[in-house]
């Protein structure tokens, strides 16, 4: 037999073994790799996304104001929880809402930006994005003919303001959720100490819960990836042990519990309990708490991973756990005030207490992460005062952390635990937050279906009508809890909404002033031709908020400084209503009229990382783009003039770089209206304590110059 590598390969290994299998196609390897990646991400979601949802059995039954419940009552309650989990969890979020992402980002602000990009319904002129923008054509599919509903929003400023208010309210309620989830989860878990040890007082439980939460918030600075790596094993243990106990309880106490899946038990429950049954919806709604984090945390993981985790583990775990709890309570009708720990068998009580405590800590993480995400989105879209946002992962830009927001949440969570009377009062407040976020999501998702997806009206009705009826019923029930603790999330939401509205109003007034008093190119040429104005060596980055013209601070600067650098680049940070901007489209430069004067637009999406590695990084990027623009520009006739212009830029950069930022402040005179006096003075207070935009770009401190200017109202 001939020998050689080729013949050895074809004949297989010596000894008559099977022939060597050829390598699988590249596409198959990619598919296998994607499956493994999604499975791993699905495992990680247990520690971040689903903590609040899967630990809800700790506090659902204790939060209900039951009075002499019967077997039929518990069957009706379980039927309500089963169909709530199925319709809201599976149908609404997993099957529909997760598809309404904005390039991987989720939440009410992501849907708002998605709507703004497909219809001209933005509010702030600096944030409104028009369909002729070629970048948006690349990143989204814009319908050629706007829908009738889209035209209505474009024509009605009131409708646009209501839509913005809904997005703001959804964000504020989600932050309220981030305050209450840690409080009720940890408090309910630690309360398990009082069963075996009746001598443990409630103040001791409160202090222990507060200490645990403080430790959790101090861990946030290490990032979501590190946190989820630590917490996912804990959450997996909880997710798979509670349904096992549930199955045991079903067989031991009430094997026929699943007959309650029939919706007729719900009808009989309301017919029998009437008003009291309607009020109990305020407790049953807590079974779906945390489901909104599936959508809000979409930027941290992926749609497929979240779907896999929910359908394969979270949903079955909750269905079985609630079935087991209900089976136990049917045989122990008055144990609902401690509906979780009493249904746990005595031999595994302490292991389950440890797991429950650790799982409650993890549960807090899901809404904390979601809060960071929505705050970052609203800051980038300029609807919230600037706070520090740290990107904690180089691979996943959706993973962010805000120190200021983190410590505010910590103080509020501890205050809720120490200030409220118990878990039932927190549960009353919690229900208001949960269902309001979901109702807002339903309405905005309906708008996405009509304006963007162009879903047939019959299908839109099949979605909208049942969910509005169901969630509207929940809303009407939880509103009765406002005097009993439900006022808290409303208070927090109103304070946040006030801050956001004041910030929006102040930014709008500044934009209007700048547009009305902008410096034209003709006016700039006149200023530079003044005999006292000199062109000094150096490269100046002059930051402006407007793109159509130059900021009025420029005129103020030239008149007072009597100079302008030989190369001056007017830089505008433009936040587009897209999640991410392609790196090649990041910087756009054009030449203005006077010699050595250029305009530069740095474009970012709300999910992009604005933080650069240093000021020189931005300088280098803009300089390269400027030189490329000079070389490719068609308005220069002579190659010598091109080389001369490039040399001018290099000489200016060698002479020194300075970053000039205008700081326009309102001067509220005595003749201003009462509304402006209150709103603009509050805006100036917020503006004074918020962070500057320049530190986010990493500019060296010694290169920064701020020019102040007063605008009399």
């Amino acid at each position: 037999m001939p020998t050689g590598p080729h013949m050895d390969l074809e004949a297989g290994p010596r000894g008559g073994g099977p022939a060597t299998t050829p390598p699988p196609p590249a596409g198959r390897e990619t598919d296998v790799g994607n499956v493994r990646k999604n499975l791993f991400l699905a495992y990680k979601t247990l520690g971040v996304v689903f903590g609040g949802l899967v630990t809800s059995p700790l506090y659902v039954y204790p939060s209900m104001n039951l009075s002499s419940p019967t077997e039929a009552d518990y069957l009706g309650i379980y039927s309500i929880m089963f169909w709530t989990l199925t319709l809201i969890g599976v149908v609404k979020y997993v099957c529909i809402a997760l598809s309404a992402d904005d390039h991987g980002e989720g939440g009410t602000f992501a849907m708002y930006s998605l709507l703004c990009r497909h219809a001209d319904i933005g509010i702030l002129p600096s944030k409104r994005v028009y369909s002729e923008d070629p970048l948006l054509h690349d990143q989204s599919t814009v319908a050629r003919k706007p829908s009738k509903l889209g035209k209505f929003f474009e024509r009605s400023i009131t409708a646009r303001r209501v839509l913005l208010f809904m997005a703001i309210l959804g964000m504020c309620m989600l932050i309220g959720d981030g305050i209450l989830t840690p409080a009720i989860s940890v408090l309910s878990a630690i309360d398990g100490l009082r069963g075996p040890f009746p001598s443990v007082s409630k103040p001791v439980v409160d202090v222990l819960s507060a200490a645990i939460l403080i430790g959790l918030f101090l861990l946030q600075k290490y990032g979501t990836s590190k946190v989820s790596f630590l917490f996912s094993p804990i959450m997996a243990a909880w997710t798979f042990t509670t349904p096992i106990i549930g199955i045991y309880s079903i067989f031991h106490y009430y094997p026929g519990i699943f007959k309650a899946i029939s919706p007729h038990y719900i009808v009989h429950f309301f017919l029998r309990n009437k008003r009291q049954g309607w009020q109990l919806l305020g407790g049953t709604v807590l079974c779906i708490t945390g489901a909104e984090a599936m959508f809000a945390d979409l930027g941290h993981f992926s749609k497929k991973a979240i779907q896999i985790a929910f359908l394969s583990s979270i949903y079955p775990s909750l269905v079985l756990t609630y079935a087991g709890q209900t089976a136990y309570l049917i045989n122990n009708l008055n144990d609902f005030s401690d509906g979780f720990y009493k249904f746990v068998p005595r031999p595994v009580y302490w292991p389950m207490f440890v797991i429950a405590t650790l799982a409650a800590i993890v549960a807090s993480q899901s809404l904390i992460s979601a809060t960071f995400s929505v705050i970052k989105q609203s800051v980038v879209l300029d609807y919230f005062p600037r706070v520090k946002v740290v990107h904690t992962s180089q691979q996943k830009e959706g993973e962010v952390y805000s120190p200021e927001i983190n410590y505010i949440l910590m103080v509020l969570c501890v205050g809720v635990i120490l200030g409220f009377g118990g878990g039932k009062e927190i549960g009353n407040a919690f229900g208001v937050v949960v269902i309001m976020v979901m109702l807002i999501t339903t309405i905005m998702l309906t708008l996405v279906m009509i304006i963007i997806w162009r879903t047939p009206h019959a299908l839109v009705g099949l979605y909208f009508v049942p969910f509005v009826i169901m969630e509207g019923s929940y809303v009407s029930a939880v509103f009765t809890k406002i005097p009993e603790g439900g006022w808290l999330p409303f208070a927090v939401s109103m304070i946040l909404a006030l801050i956001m509205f004041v910030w929006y109003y102040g930014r709008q007034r500044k934009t209007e002033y700048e547009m009305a008093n902008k410096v034209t190119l003709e006016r700039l040429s006149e200023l530079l031709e003044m005999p006292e104005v000199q062109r000094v060596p150096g490269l100046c980055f002059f930051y402006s908020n407007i793109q159509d013209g130059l900021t009025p601070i420029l005129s103020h600067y030239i008149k007072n400084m009597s100079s302008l650098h030989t190369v001056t680049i007017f830089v505008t940070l433009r936040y587009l209503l897209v999640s991410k901007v392609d790196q090649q489209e990041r910087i756009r430069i054009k030449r203005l009229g006077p010699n050595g004067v250029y305009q530069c637009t740095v474009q970012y999406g709300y999910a992009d990382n604005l933080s650069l590695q240093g000021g020189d990084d931005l300088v280098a990027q803009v300089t390269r783009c400027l030189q490329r623009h000079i070389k490719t520009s068609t308005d220069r006739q002579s190659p010598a003039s091109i080389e001369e212009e490039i040399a001018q830029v290099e000489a200016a950069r060698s002479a020194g770089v300075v970053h000039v930022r205008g700081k326009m402040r309102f001067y509220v005179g005595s003749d201003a209206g009462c509304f402006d006096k209150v709103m603009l003075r509050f805006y100036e207070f917020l503006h004074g304590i918020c962070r500057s935009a320049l530190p986010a770009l990493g500019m060296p401190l010694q290169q920064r110059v701020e020019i102040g200017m007063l605008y009399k109202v």
Side-chain angles (χ1 to χ4, degrees):
M1 178 182 291
T3 60
H6 176 74
M7 295 305 297
D8 285 343
L9 179 61
E10 292 294 314
R14 293 176 185 175
T20 303
T21 303
R28 191 182 305 170
E29 289 181 347
T30 303
D31 291 341
V32 173
N34 288 336
V35 170
R36 289 176 179 172
K37 180 181 178 180
N38 285 326
L39 289 175
F40 180 66
L41 284 175
Y43 165 72
K44 291 179 70 177
T45 62
L46 297 178
V48 175
V49 178
F50 295 110
L53 180 58
V54 82
T55 54
S56 57
L58 282 169
Y59 47 78
V60 170
Y61 273 114
S63 298
M64 294 184 188
N65 292 316
L66 294 172
S67 177
S68 302
T70 64
E71 175 183 335
D73 291 335
Y74 283 121
L75 291 174
I77 290 171
Y78 178 69
S79 188
I80 292 172
M81 292 193 291
F82 173 83
W83 286 107
T84 300
L85 287 168
T86 302
L87 293 176
I88 295 181
V90 177
V91 177
K92 176 181 171 179
Y93 279 102
V94 172
C95 296
I96 301 176
L98 292 181
S99 299
D101 67 297
D102 186 20
H103 295 278
E105 294 289 324
T108 54
F109 254 83
M111 282 195 290
Y112 176 72
S113 70
L114 199 62
L115 289 165
C116 288
R117 288 197 291 111
H118 287 78
D120 185 18
I121 57 179
I123 298 292
L124 282 177
S126 60
K127 298 294 174 284
R128 290 172 67 176
V129 182
Y130 298 91
S131 60
E132 59 264 21
D133 193 326
L135 178 62
L136 297 185
H137 280 286
D138 294 338
Q139 295 208 19
S140 64
T141 304
V142 181
R144 294 181 181 178
K145 185 178 180 182
S147 65
K148 291 181 180 180
L149 186 60
K151 290 180 180 179
F152 167 74
F153 274 98
E154 290 175 1
R155 290 192 303 264
S156 173
I157 184 64
T158 302
R160 296 204 302 268
R161 286 172 176 168
V162 169
L163 183 63
L164 173 61
F165 176 76
M166 284 175 53
I168 290 175
L169 187 60
M171 191 211 77
C172 295
M173 285 292 180
L174 192 64
I175 296 173
D177 206 348
I179 297 169
L180 296 173
T181 295
I184 194 170
S185 299
V186 175
L187 192 62
S188 299
I190 300 300
D191 201 53
L193 285 173
R194 302 179 69 185
F197 302 107
S199 60
V200 175
S201 63
K202 183 186 175 300
V204 172
V205 172
D206 293 346
V207 171
L208 285 175
S209 302
I212 289 171
L213 284 179
I214 291 172
L216 173 66
F217 281 105
L218 294 179
L219 282 176
Q220 295 302 310
K221 62 182 178 181
Y222 297 107
T224 303
S225 292
K226 300 179 180 65
V227 170
S228 63
F229 176 77
L230 293 171
F231 287 173
S232 292
I234 298 170
M235 218 60 240
W238 169 268
T239 303
F240 295 111
T241 53
T242 52
I244 292 174
I245 296 176
I247 293 171
Y248 165 80
S249 182
I250 290 169
F251 283 104
H252 188 69
Y253 295 108
Y254 199 86
I257 185 64
F258 288 111
K259 69 182 181 182
I261 292 176
S262 173
H264 85 273
Y265 283 95
I266 300 176
V267 176
H268 290 167
F269 174 78
F270 287 118
L271 291 176
R272 186 171 54 257
N273 291 282
K274 297 181 175 62
R275 180 180 175 83
Q276 186 185 7
W278 165 67
Q279 291 178 333
L280 285 173
L281 289 175
T284 56
V285 72
L286 298 182
C287 72
I288 198 65
T289 181
E292 66 278 5
M294 277 194 281
F295 192 31
D297 279 342
L298 192 56
H300 291 245
F301 296 98
S302 70
K303 171 185 172 182
K304 187 67 67 176
I306 291 174
Q307 289 174 327
I308 291 172
F310 184 81
L311 295 176
S312 65
S313 59
I314 304 300
Y315 178 69
S317 175
L318 288 172
V319 169
L320 291 172
T321 302
Y322 281 122
Q325 279 186 283
T326 308
Y328 169 81
L329 291 173
I330 287 174
N331 279 265
N332 301 271
L333 297 175
N334 294 315
D335 281 354
F336 58 87
S337 61
D338 189 9
F340 178 77
Y341 281 111
K342 287 191 176 180
F343 111 104
V344 175
R346 295 298 99 186
V348 295
Y349 185 93
W350 287 112
M352 282 306 300
F353 172 79
V354 173
I355 295 175
T357 302
L358 295 176
I361 296 171
V362 177
S364 309
Q365 182 62 45
S366 61
L367 271 302
I368 294 173
S369 298
T371 301
F372 291 154
S373 294
V374 295
I375 286 289
K376 192 250 183 175
Q377 290 177 15
S378 56
V379 166
V380 169
L381 292 174
D382 211 6
Y383 290 119
F384 196 81
R386 288 183 295 271
V387 294
K388 184 176 182 179
V389 176
V390 179
H391 290 258
T392 57
S393 172
Q394 297 296 325
Q395 291 77 31
K396 196 71 174 173
E397 294 189 17
E399 296 185 7
V400 294
Y401 159 74
S402 174
E404 293 98 333
I405 300 301
N406 185 59
Y407 293 122
I408 290 172
L409 284 177
M410 181 178 72
V411 171
L412 290 175
C413 282
V414 173
V416 166
I417 287 179
L418 299 180
F420 270 95
K424 186 169 292 187
E425 288 76 9
I426 300 177
N428 292 335
F430 205 9
V432 175
V433 170
V434 170
I435 198 59
M436 285 299 295
V437 174
M438 292 181 179
L439 184 60
I440 290 171
T441 301
T442 294
I443 296 171
M444 297 192 72
L445 194 53
T446 303
L447 296 178
V448 170
M449 289 179 176
I450 297 172
I451 296 175
I452 303 176
W453 294 348
R454 302 300 177 90
T455 306
H457 291 172
L459 294 179
V460 174
L462 285 176
Y463 164 77
F464 181 73
V465 174
F467 280 101
V468 164
I469 291 175
M470 178 172 63
E471 293 171 350
S473 300
Y474 274 126
V475 167
S476 65
V478 299
F479 269 29
T480 63
K481 307 294 184 182
I482 289 179
E484 303 170 14
W487 59 268
L488 177 67
F490 270 105
V492 172
S493 299
M494 289 305 297
I495 292 172
L496 289 172
L498 176 64
I499 290 172
M500 294 183 75
F501 182 76
V502 168
W503 185 260
Y504 150 72
Y505 182 75
R507 301 297 288 178
Q508 186 182 46
R509 290 293 299 269
K510 279 191 174 181
T511 300
E512 291 172 353
Y513 174 81
E514 289 184 326
M515 295 300 293
N517 297 274
K518 63 186 178 182
V519 177
T520 62
L521 294 179
E522 292 78 11
R523 176 58 181 160
L524 177 60
S525 298
E526 293 174 2
L527 290 170
L528 294 179
E529 289 172 359
M530 294 169 62
E532 64 271 19
V533 176
Q534 304 293 321
R535 301 296 294 271
V536 297
L539 174 60
C540 173
F541 286 77
F542 206 114
Y543 293 87
S544 171
N545 291 326
I546 60 175
Q547 300 173 61
D548 183 17
L550 302 173
T551 173
I553 293 179
L554 173 63
S555 176
H556 181 71
Y557 173 77
I558 294 177
K559 288 179 180 178
N560 285 273
M561 303 297 292
S562 298
S563 65
L564 191 69
H565 290 77
T566 53
V567 176
T568 301
I569 302 174
F570 293 96
V571 181
T572 300
L573 301 179
R574 185 188 184 199
Y575 297 101
L576 300 181
L577 291 175
V578 296
S579 61
K580 294 181 177 65
V581 175
D582 187 86
Q583 195 65 33
Q584 296 179 349
E585 299 284 349
R586 176 81 69 203
I587 297 175
R588 291 181 174 182
I589 294 182
K590 68 178 181 179
R591 184 186 291 108
L592 299 181
N595 179 43
V597 180
Y598 307 89
Q599 186 174 53
C600 171
T601 303
V602 183
Q603 302 184 126
Y604 286 90
Y606 60 80
D608 278 322
N609 186 354
L610 183 59
S611 300
L612 302 173
Q613 296 302 315
D616 288 337
D617 189 18
L618 179 66
V619 171
Q621 289 183 44
V622 173
T623 304
R624 285 194 300 269
C625 290
L626 177 57
Q627 292 175 345
R628 186 164 56 248
H629 172 77
I630 294 172
K631 292 177 181 178
T632 58
S633 180
T634 58
D635 57 356
R636 290 285 182 179
Q637 302 295 328
S638 169
S641 62
I642 295 176
E643 294 298 327
E644 181 181 345
E645 189 173 358
I646 292 176
Q648 182 186 34
V649 173
E650 287 295 336
R653 183 180 178 184
S654 300
V657 179
V658 62
H659 300 271
V660 178
R661 172 179 175 263
K663 197 168 186 179
M664 189 173 70
R665 307 296 296 268
F666 288 110
Y667 175 75
V668 184
S670 57
D671 55 341
C674 293
F675 183 77
D676 278 344
K677 283 182 180 179
V678 175
M679 298 293 287
L680 297 181
R681 284 173 179 169
F682 189 23
Y683 170 80
E684 284 299 314
F685 169 74
L686 294 174
H687 192 268
I689 62 174
C690 77
R691 292 179 179 264
S692 169
L694 292 187
L697 292 170
M699 303 304 171
L701 186 62
Q702 64 273 18
Q703 294 181 2
R704 300 182 202 167
V705 175
E706 287 193 350
I707 305 297
M709 179 178 175
L710 288 178
Y711 159 39
K712 187 176 186 303
V713 179

